[in-house]
């Protein structure tokens, strides 16, 4: 009896976890983080390369030692920015590992739900959304391709 109750409780908990945040949504969120970080890093690197080139030009053209030293100091700081931007590649690799783990866990949960209750979607569909208040309204930022209303559509509703 205790084992049966534990299995039933675990089944409900897994279904609730799946409903609260599906692995597919989590995977998409992490992918959006990687893309956003990559875009920001590229923007930073492009601006840094421009500043570095401008500082190099100032250093070459300047007849004043103080101005040349300042331009060279700017270039040294730009190198620090270039080095710091290497984090994006490492971050992307780490997030990819997390995504692979999430996919593996999702596959195992789907298999457990299938074995215990039939199709996973039947268990998830049977569970009502228990969120209330603001929690029921908040789902985080939309991802590309989400079926949601755009800000432009909302703005057009108000004259």
């Amino acid at each position: 009896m205790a084992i049966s109750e534990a299995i039933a409780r675990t089944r409900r908990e897994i279904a609730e976890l799946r409903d609260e945040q599906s692995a597919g949504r989590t995977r998409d969120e992490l992918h959006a983080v990687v893309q956003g970080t990559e875009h920001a890093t590229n923007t930073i690197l492009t601006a840094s390369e421009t500043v570095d080139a401008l500082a190099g030009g100032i250093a070459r053209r300047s007849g004043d030692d103080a101005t040349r030293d300042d331009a060279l100091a700017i270039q040294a700081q730009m190198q620090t920015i270039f080095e710091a931007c290497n984090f994006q590649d490492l971050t992307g690799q780490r997030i990819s590992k997390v995504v692979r783990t999430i996919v593996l866990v999702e596959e195992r949960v789907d298999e457990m739900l299938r074995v215990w209750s039939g199709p996973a979607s039947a268990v998830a569909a049977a569970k009502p959304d228990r969120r209330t208040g603001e929690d029921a309204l908040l789902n985080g930022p939309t991802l590309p391709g989400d079926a949601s209303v755009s800000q432009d559509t909302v703005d057009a509703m108000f004259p």
Side-chain angles (χ1 to χ4, degrees):
M1 181 77 148
I3 292 172
S4 177
E5 289 173 8
I7 290 172
R9 184 178 61 250
T10 301
R11 183 178 18 196
R12 283 191 307 273
E13 289 171 354
I14 289 172
E16 288 173 9
L17 285 173
R18 251 182 97 59
D19 284 350
E20 287 176 13
Q21 182 72 29
S22 75
R25 175 75 181 185
T26 301
R27 185 176 52 242
D28 293 345
E29 292 283 356
L30 289 172
H31 183 67
V33 167
V34 171
Q35 286 183 324
T37 304
E38 185 177 314
H39 177 71
T41 300
N42 288 336
T43 301
I44 292 166
L45 287 173
T46 299
S48 297
E49 288 167 353
T50 301
V51 170
D52 186 53
L54 291 170
I58 292 170
R60 282 189 305 277
R61 290 188 309 273
S62 177
D64 178 42
D65 287 342
T67 302
R68 187 179 306 102
D69 289 345
D70 286 347
L72 293 173
I74 290 170
Q75 285 187 299
Q77 290 303 310
M78 298 316 303
Q79 289 303 314
T80 302
I81 291 172
F82 294 141
E83 292 168 8
C85 284
N86 286 328
F87 80 93
Q88 190 281 325
D89 185 48
L90 295 175
T91 300
Q93 291 174 27
R94 288 179 176 157
I95 290 175
S96 293
K97 287 180 183 179
V98 171
V99 168
R100 285 193 300 272
T101 301
I102 288 170
V103 168
L104 179 66
V105 169
E106 180 183 36
E107 290 169 356
R108 298 304 184 265
V109 168
D110 284 346
E111 179 64 19
M112 286 181 0
L113 289 173
R114 187 190 63 72
V115 168
W116 286 347
S117 305
S121 59
V123 174
K127 185 205 163 284
D129 187 354
R130 297 179 197 257
R131 297 179 301 164
T132 60
E134 283 189 17
D135 288 343
L137 302 174
L138 300 176
N139 293 309
T142 59
L143 295 172
D146 275 356
S148 61
V149 177
S150 73
Q151 185 62 48
D152 292 336
T153 303
V154 173
D155 292 343
M157 295 170 71
F158 299 98

